[in-house]
Amino acid sequence: MSDAPVSESYDEPYLETCCRSTLHRLLLCASTGRPTGLKDQPCLERLERLGLSELRADGRFVITQDGLKRHREEIGPTG
């Protein structure tokens, strides 16, 4: 048995560069949101499955509170 210190494990799903970029675009769009049908649609859908974005009834994706938290952790502070 090792006496090495136990580190915390990182259990968040990895975000590909394209998905991190999409998360940042969602932040920049704020309440306007991003429409469906754009080239980043697969990333928007993945972020939705992870709970980092949501698709509103008007067909636009917006960032969630969990998405804002993840953005701060992986991309940086927002202000």
Side-chain angles (χ1 to χ4, degrees), residues 2-69:
S2 171
D3 290 329
V6 176
S7 65
E8 293 182 33
S9 71
Y10 185 77
D11 62 356
E12 294 289 331
Y14 177 75
L15 288 182
E16 297 287 340
T17 302
C18 55
C19 291
R20 286 194 306 273
S21 295
T22 299
L23 186 63
H24 187 64
R25 283 191 293 276
L26 280 173
L27 176 85
L28 296 175
C29 289
S31 63
T32 301
R34 286 189 62 75
T36 56
L38 299 176
K39 287 185 178 184
D40 62 357
Q41 179 81 25
C43 292
L44 289 165
E45 291 172 355
R46 179 165 191 247
L47 294 173
E48 182 182 30
R49 287 191 302 273
L50 294 172
L52 305 178
S53 74
E54 66 181 6
L55 180 60
R56 294 188 313 214
D58 66 357
R60 297 180 84 83
F61 286 90
V62 291
I63 195 166
T64 63
Q65 289 300 311
D66 286 344
L68 290 170
K69 180 178 181 261

